Amino acid sequence: MKVTAEEVAHSKLSLKSLEEASRSLKDNGFVILESIVDETICATLREQLRSDLSDLLKSKEEQTNFSSGHVQQEPPVFHPFVHREIVANPLVIQVIKRFLGSSNPHEHLSIDPQILH
């Protein structure tokens, strides 16, 4: 869904946008909030991920929890790649609280990979 520049600048969705996001989440199981992360952040992260992927593909280390030909790549979790807009985006948190209720905190970032179970 479209998010206005004003909503991004103020880190707050309008009531109309919040209702639209909640409805999409309920009806579809997901919502896409367009353009809420600065393109520069995305470009910097994309560049690092491509570099990391190149190194990962050259690695001789066996990846045990995956099907042949699959690669697991974690995002970099160090400066300058960790951004509030990605790990704790206030617009996303607003949607989560609206959908789950304000008593359901969203305050944990885990980088440990898990096998699907």
Side-chain angles (χ1 to χ4, degrees):
M1 64 172 263
K2 301 279 186 201
V3 178
T4 68
E6 182 177 333
E7 289 171 319
V8 173
H10 291 111
S11 298
K12 185 173 172 81
L13 293 172
S14 68
L15 183 57
K16 179 182 175 189
S17 292
L18 188 55
E19 288 174 355
E20 181 182 346
S22 296
R23 189 171 39 257
S24 177
L25 193 54
K26 181 180 180 191
D27 294 347
N28 304 313
F30 67 91
V31 61
I32 298 172
L33 303 175
E34 295 181 25
S35 302
I36 65 168
V37 178
D38 183 273
E39 290 180 23
T40 306
I41 292 171
C42 293
T44 302
L45 184 56
R46 183 182 312 110
E47 183 179 316
Q48 182 64 37
L49 286 168
R50 285 184 177 153
S51 174
D52 291 349
L53 179 59
S54 178
D55 294 343
L56 187 59
L57 292 173
K58 291 175 190 172
S59 171
K60 301 294 183 198
E61 182 179 328
E62 182 178 343
Q63 300 206 5
T64 57
N65 298 327
F66 310 102
S67 300
S68 178
H70 290 215
V71 175
Q72 176 164 334
Q73 180 181 12
E74 290 93 18
V77 289
F78 49 86
H79 181 78
F81 305 107
V82 178
H83 295 274
R84 177 180 184 230
E85 294 94 324
I86 295 174
V87 297
N89 191 297
L91 300 173
V92 174
I93 291 172
Q94 189 181 2
V95 173
I96 291 169
K97 285 185 175 183
R98 172 68 177 237
F99 190 76
L100 296 177
S102 60
S103 63
N104 291 286
H106 177 76
E107 54 190 44
H108 178 75
L109 171 64
S110 174
I111 60 167
D112 295 328
Q114 291 188 2
I115 301 171
L116 291 178
H117 51 281

